[in-house]
Amino acid sequence: MIKHQKPRAFFDTFERKGPGQKNTHYCPGCGHGTAHKLIAELIDELHIQDRTIFCSPVGCSVFAYYYFDTGNIQCSHGRAPAVATGIRRTHKDSILISYQGDGDLAGIGTAEIIHAANRGENLTVFFINNAIYGMTGGQLAPTTLIGQSTLTSPGGRVQSRDGSPIGMAEIMDAIKTPVFIERVSLATPGKVMRARKVFKKALLNQVQKRGFSFVEVLSPCPVNWKLTPSRARRWMEEKLEPVFPVMNFRETEDLKINKETIPPVLKGEDLLNVFRVNKDQLHPPKAKEISDQFVKISGFGGQGVMSAGVLLANCVIAEGRNATWIPSYGPAMRGGTANASVIVSGKNIGSPLVDYPNVLIAMNLPSLNIFEEKVLPGGFIFINSSIITRKVKREDVKSIYVPASDMAKQGGMLAAANVIMLSLYMLASKVSDIQTLKKVIPLSIKKKEYIDVNLKIVDIAIEFYEKNKDAF
Amino acid sequence: MTKQLVKGNEAIVYGALLGGATHFFGYPITPASEIAHAAALYFPKTGREFLQAESEVAAINMIYGAAGAGGRAMTASSGPGVSLMAEGISYLAGAELPCVIVDIQRAGPGLGNIWPEQGDYNTVVKSGAHGNYQNVVFAPASAQEMCDFTYQAFEIADKYRVVVFILSDAYIGQMMEPIEIPNTPREGDRKDWALYADAESRKNLITSIFMNQQIQSDHNKKLQNKYRLIEHELLAYEEEETDEADVIFVAYGICARICYTAMEELRTLGIKIGMLRPQMLFPFPSRPIQQLAQKVKKCIVVELSDGQMAVDVKLAVNGAIPVLEYNWMGGVVPTVKEIVERVQQDMKGGAK
């Protein structure tokens, strides 16, 4: 039996690297080689090589794909957990390794690691903490120790200026979802053997679909620490480990694994049916020839001005004409005056904006105040006289006063004053047959218990129209 | 098929799912949020993936992962969110990963406001992140085109391995209009370059880093050749009343809709005006504009920006005729009347 051989999860020679295909690009005494080898051995041991996708970061391990004979994806700085999330949502059985340094994970990528952990992504994160930025030549890292000199903290890290070294394993431990959190060290052979066990546990969790495992790896960077490899390992034990305690933070054993319920992927006709509408049951009458309508429906938020516009547009379309609907949106919807613009035409509609309406449905006083002067000469203004106390000043328009709120209240639903006004506009203008509205209401109103009362309110409007025909 | 009244933003999701979209990763922002709302409903309902990311940065990187894994991924946002995605978009372009991004433009710069603008033109069409790359850009002007262009976008993204943008605006997104849905649902094929977490794809590498300058240079040339091929193979625009026109509007999105009405009014007033409406902004319809510049006497570019598209029109016209710029910014949208009056004014001393 061969006891020591290259893991199969490494390439035989590093073709992707270019010159020097027998050696890694790592410096002498660097911890990445050790961490890589442990991972490669475990990929072999767990028989997961084919389904492993290695997510390499930005930093010294950016070139992990030189070495790992697995699927490889190189991620932007700090975002490997988000990239892995995207892959996880694509291949449920993949094994995803997010291998990140301290600048990547504890600096620029704090949001992505925290939220991937919080979602409990089935993912194994190896966080290589060497307390310095390696690839860019030795700058301050979020994990750099107080007093430690780097190129960007030449006199040593100062807490009042640079903050304190961040304990990422401790931060992970503040999140409920991860199933496994441990900090290991590569300072001594014994600690490397412990690391191997931890790495295995973290990968096995993923194989068993248990969730998010986080391993922080204290790792030497002799070149940037300006120490010999052996001094560097002593420094780890003397300086680094007291700040970053090597310990297990969490190991969830009795985890109940929820079986995922994956909805079926709809295709072909099944997919089309999700979006198809069948309005054949409407049997709408043919549209009457009337001039283009530029309608502005305006009122308080909650008076149903938007939905009145949608009902109107739906009726018109059902009868075979064109319509556009455009809302006032955003903060206007959260209180204050809201309005919907609807254009009805037998032709293609260019601008959907109603700058100058020929029909104004004013549900409240501010609406009348804003839009009265914009109405085209010869246009119509429908006034909700239940709450608008003043009269229309214009004399070149037709003004129709309707106590819509009172009528709707009597009909059993104050909020349906919009339907009173819409019905009367339809009856007066013949923009659409009132029977079409009665057919569209059941299809458009989401809360089914409101359908009957709305239909009753249409009848109240019809009755009002018949009694007051002269006013129209 | 029956026409249905659908909001532009929702039509995006209909088109996407019928076009084979598999993933939606997004972060809410007005005026694009309805796209995420509809996606949250319809993606899971049809067995696809929806996830609200912690940020636009995370969303675009989730797309990078899903696209690298062979999915048809998309997101939707507005200017501030698209700016946050810039680095990720450059990575997608560099690694040649396909995806679809919707930008429902709002007013800027900075936080700006939620009303329509077309100030993201340079960011999206000229590719506003680092490096030499190009997005394919659709410019819908109706709910129907929101649906149809998104439907087509996934095929184009996969075919050329590019990022395809749907560059729209707050009004086209918020507007409801009747649409017909495409009647042939599509699906993406297995990609020989993507990662499927299996033996066959184990050799594959998704990356945008090439340390050897010559290899990075060759990669850039390959990308540029691809963009030239796209310019050769894709083009989408519409001409209205250009046959005997003295002057033409060039406008896209909501501006094209307003110009269409203005054009009809101006023609009743005796001004021979036509319109060219780009339905795609990359590739840009430079040649048709150049050809029209040989026939007409003036060109008017109407934009909700400081004239970002007008630069491309001027390049196409190449000095042959005057190019006038009608620009609005900050969420102010011109009325038809304003445009009509301005054209009448500008045509007085000019074209006969």
Side-chain angles (χ1 to χ4, degrees), chain A residues 155-193:
Chain A
R157 181 176 195 158
V158 177
Q159 187 174 354
S160 60
R161 183 189 60 204
D162 309 315
S164 309
I166 286 181
M168 285 310 296
E170 286 82 355
I171 287 176
M172 287 293 113
D173 198 28
I175 301 170
K176 281 182 185 164
T177 330
V179 293
F180 183 78
I181 304 163
E182 183 152 342
R183 183 183 286 124
V184 298
S185 168
L186 302 180
T188 65
K191 286 174 178 165
V192 170
M193 293 317 288

Side-chain angles (χ1 to χ4, degrees), chain B residues 173-236:
Chain B
Q174 295 293 326
M175 179 172 46
M176 282 179 114
E177 279 188 304
I179 70 162
E180 274 180 56
I181 58 167
N183 52 22
T184 315
R186 287 173 172 160
E187 279 177 66
D189 297 323
R190 184 175 168 114
K191 293 150 181 161
D192 57 9
W193 50 264
L195 300 168
Y196 290 90
D198 61 13
E200 199 186 329
S201 67
R202 199 178 86 198
K203 64 178 192 310
N204 289 340
L205 165 65
I206 306 293
T207 189
S208 63
I209 181 173
F210 303 98
M211 281 304 280
N212 178 303
Q213 299 101 307
Q214 193 54 51
I215 295 174
Q216 184 75 57
S217 168
D218 293 345
H219 180 62
N220 265 277
K221 279 180 194 155
K222 180 187 158 200
L223 294 180
Q224 291 303 315
N225 288 339
K226 179 168 81 176
Y227 303 143
R228 298 297 82 77
L229 179 70
I230 289 170
E231 283 183 315
H232 185 70
E233 293 186 345
L234 300 179
L235 189 63

Side-chain angles (χ1 to χ4, degrees), chain A residues 74 91 266 275 325 350-351, chain B residues 4 48 64 69 176 257 261:
Chain A
Q74 197 282 312
H91 305 306
L266 302 184
F275 301 107
W325 171 96
S351 174
Chain B
Q4 48 184 315
R48 274 75 172 175
Y64 183 89
M176 282 179 114
R257 294 293 292 260
T261 306

